[in-house]
Amino acid sequence: MPHIVFASPELGQVGVRLGTTAQAPDRYTVEEQDLSGWYTYQRIQDKTARVTTITDKNTHRLVGAVVLAVDAEELLNYLTVLIQEQKPASALQQWIPVYPSVASDLSYLYH
């Protein structure tokens, strides 16, 4: 279940927690990305925007995420859908959302 702290910036988390990944490093890949270069975050000048993704090493599916950003709830909602639908990261390459938007920036996650 996703949850978020509405502060400035917002902080949200969904799925597998970072503490779980530390206990099972052979099972998960954890990647932290600076989002300030994504179009959306450049446009709103969010220099603090970051996402940590947690991927299952066997299935290559997104299983968790932590988002720190001005509009973290929007990105967290999209990541929650990917987790719930058990989609591999490659599914983002076939997604054609409205541009420009946070959704259209998702293709930057797995370059």
Side-chain angles (χ1 to χ4, degrees):
M1 175 180 295
H3 58 275
I4 194 160
V5 175
F6 288 99
S8 184
E10 299 168 359
L11 177 64
Q13 191 273 326
V14 64
V16 173
R17 298 177 185 272
L18 289 172
T20 303
T21 66
Q23 295 171 358
D26 294 339
R27 183 171 180 191
Y28 301 107
T29 300
V30 177
E31 290 187 50
E32 186 173 333
Q33 293 184 46
D34 178 351
L35 306 182
S36 63
W38 288 17
Y39 176 78
T40 298
Y41 299 105
Q42 282 184 346
R43 182 176 49 81
I44 63 174
Q45 298 180 3
D46 184 355
K47 295 179 181 8
T48 63
R50 304 194 73 67
V51 65
T52 301
T53 54
I54 302 166
T55 307
D56 183 294
K57 286 183 178 181
N58 294 323
T59 65
H60 305 286
R61 291 180 180 151
L62 181 68
V63 294
V66 179
V67 180
L68 176 70
V70 170
D71 58 357
E73 80 283 351
E74 186 174 358
L75 179 53
L76 199 63
N77 282 334
Y78 293 125
L79 297 175
T80 299
V81 170
L82 288 172
I83 292 168
Q84 288 177 335
E85 293 186 3
Q86 299 182 353
K87 298 280 186 182
S90 60
L92 290 174
Q93 301 307 317
Q94 285 111 31
W95 195 5
I96 305 173
V98 173
Y99 177 85
S101 66
V102 171
S104 67
D105 286 345
L106 285 174
S107 63
Y108 300 140
L109 266 179
Y110 295 102
H111 269 88

